[in-house]
Amino acid sequence: MQKQVAGTIIYNDQQGTHFLVGQSDSKYYFYRLPVQAGNSPLASVLWALRHTIGIDVDQLRLYDSIMAKLDNEKVAVFVFDHLALDEQTRVKFEQQGLRFVLASELHELFMSVSVSETTPFTNLSK
């Protein structure tokens, strides 16, 4: 099985904080894709955002990254912000089945993400 990576973008407006997610049936999910051979997980997400979706990734800033268990698989999840969101950019995301959803509507998604409480560096000293 090919290693997976996930990414989302935070967007804030007068309504609150929105996350870039997809939706299947009535369940939300983070944008997931395979890690490209020869690329890091971060490079794979940025490549997909630039070449598959078609947005200007130079404006993005890495807000946070975590290792999480999504659907029983350990996945690096990258969270970006500082996206200048206009109608053209929204359409590009929608063409890939993605949209910005208020955080208050994503409770079930956030509860389904299992984040380890230990950092990956803990085992280096042993």
Side-chain angles (χ1 to χ4, degrees):
M1 181 176 201
Q2 190 171 9
K3 186 140 180 74
Q4 296 282 303
V5 63
T8 189
I9 300 173
I10 295 174
Y11 175 73
N12 293 302
D13 65 11
Q14 67 278 8
Q15 293 179 321
T17 301
H18 303 255
F19 285 81
L20 179 70
V21 295
Q23 186 175 10
S24 177
D25 298 319
S26 63
K27 295 182 80 170
Y28 292 108
Y29 59 88
F30 290 119
Y31 178 49
R32 282 179 70 175
L33 56 139
V35 174
Q36 297 172 333
N39 281 340
S40 68
L42 178 59
S44 296
V45 171
L46 291 171
W47 188 94
L49 289 171
R50 180 184 302 263
H51 298 285
T52 302
I53 296 176
I55 66 165
D56 175 15
V57 297
D58 293 336
Q59 66 180 300
L60 295 178
R61 298 295 173 261
L62 184 60
Y63 179 79
D64 200 0
S65 65
I66 59 169
M67 286 301 294
K69 193 177 263 189
L70 303 175
D71 299 325
N72 293 320
E73 180 183 355
K74 269 191 164 179
V75 176
V77 180
F78 296 98
V79 181
F80 301 95
D81 65 358
H82 289 275
L83 178 67
L85 192 58
D86 57 18
E87 192 57 33
Q88 182 181 8
T89 305
R90 283 184 195 273
V91 168
K92 289 178 181 182
F93 285 124
E94 287 172 6
Q95 290 171 340
Q96 299 297 319
L98 302 168
R99 65 187 179 97
F100 286 89
V101 176
L102 275 169
S104 60
E105 298 177 33
L106 299 173
H107 180 73
E108 186 177 324
L109 172 62
F110 295 144
M111 293 304 293
S112 72
V113 176
S114 174
V115 179
S116 172
E117 301 214 5
T118 60
T119 64
F121 297 109
T122 352
N123 294 329
L124 293 176
S125 63
K126 295 180 182 177

